[in-house]
Amino acid sequence: MQQDETLRDGRIVRGEDPLNLEMPFSSLDQFITPTESFYVRTHFPIPAIDKDEWWLHVEGAVERPFEINYEELLELKSLTTPVTLECAGNNRNFLEPKVKGVQWGLGAVGTAEWTGVPLATLLDRAEVKSEAREVILEGTDGGALEEPKRPSGKVQFARSIPLAKARKDVLLAYQMNGNDLPPQHGFPLRAIVPGWYAMASIKWLQRIIVIDRPFSGYYQTLDYAFWKRRGDIAELAPLTEMQTKAEIARPAQGEMVSVNSKVRVHGAAWTSDGEITKVELSTDGGATWNEASLIDQAIPNAWRLWELEWRTPSQAGKQMLVARAIDSRGGTQPVERDPDRGTYMINHLLPIEVEVR
Ligand SMILES: Nc1nc2c(c(=O)[nH]1)N[C@H]1C(S)=C(S)[C@@H](COP(=O)(O)O)O[C@H]1N2
Ligand SMILES: [Mo]
């Protein structure tokens, strides 16, 4: 956790090439994450796209394939909604032993207000055929891969969504927090897939391909997948829904607090397809739990801020703070890490050590 952390304009640099920036989660102080604090995850160089030259192609198992440009897209009926994005590798640097991948701490997550056109609008225009099952979203970015198991040559970043989900609530966003998408976040257009880990929220969208069978692209199977067990058989399943999680913003790991004082412990909690109904905090490493207050209203597909006043012990020493979330589907967080999740979906209980003195 406390490795060297280079900050750039208030974000932790987790990688330069490709660019990966993390929000210092201890800076959480409002429901909406400002764009300049929002984490950035890229796999390839950020494409420089001229919106006047850009086209979005809608094709595949549709009656009427078409292309649409930026201007035309902006004329369609839009909506604005807050959605929380979390990288499937968020919290990876808590894993022991260390695993490969970007060493995210707590801040590969954020909530922005997204404005755009429902994917359903474009699917309706294209007239999806009855045999259609999934929708592939393809980015403009791509390149050669380094993993031992890889296709040769260039691969585009692409992911698929089941047709029902694509129609239900996937947004094609051109604005983030009221301004045009910045290049880092997918200008001119990105998908927002509510409730799913953010690898599905494809940036720099260039193609929407409707298909009649499950997509088995690189980022759907070899990467961004986990082992789903049927007894002794394990099959690779694509990552989809975010797992229930609460994170503590303050006090942060290693922070010092005074004995016999009142400290505000606060953070955020989220889930997918439901709402957070309770957040509990333990200040003794999980032995006893207290219920935190949930702040404001529950908003679907967005995190819920929470807080609790902690009366610190009269004795100096180290204390382990642990938060856990419970959602309306009865989902909560596992105590132990499930190794079948590989390097993703990290939502087991994570203690934060603070020093009382
Ligand atoms: N085209 C494209 N889309 C992408 C990615 C990418 O590298 N290329 N990264 C994905 C991953 S893994 C995450 S976590 C989110 C990050 O979105 P952000 O950079 O806006 O926070 O974008 C997703 N969409
Ligand atoms: Mo991610």
Side-chain angles (χ1 to χ4, degrees), residues 39 41 43 86-89 104 198-199 224:
Y39 82 96
R41 170 64 171 128
H43 294 72
E86 182 189 16
C87 179
W104 301 114
M199 73 274 131
Y224 294 107

Side-chain angles (χ1 to χ4, degrees), residues 35 40 61 76 78 93 107 120 137 146 160 167 175 181 185 207 216 220 243 250 262 287 289 303 305 319 328 350:
T35 302
V40 171
L76 300 179
S78 71
N93 78 359
L137 306 173
E146 277 159 19
S160 81
R167 280 211 165 107
Q175 280 191 359
L181 275 181
H185 295 291
R207 221 156 37 123
S216 51
Q220 193 91 8
Q243 303 293 303
R250 294 283 302 275
K262 285 179 184 168
W289 297 86
W303 65 19
L305 302 185
Q319 295 280 311
S328 51
L350 296 178

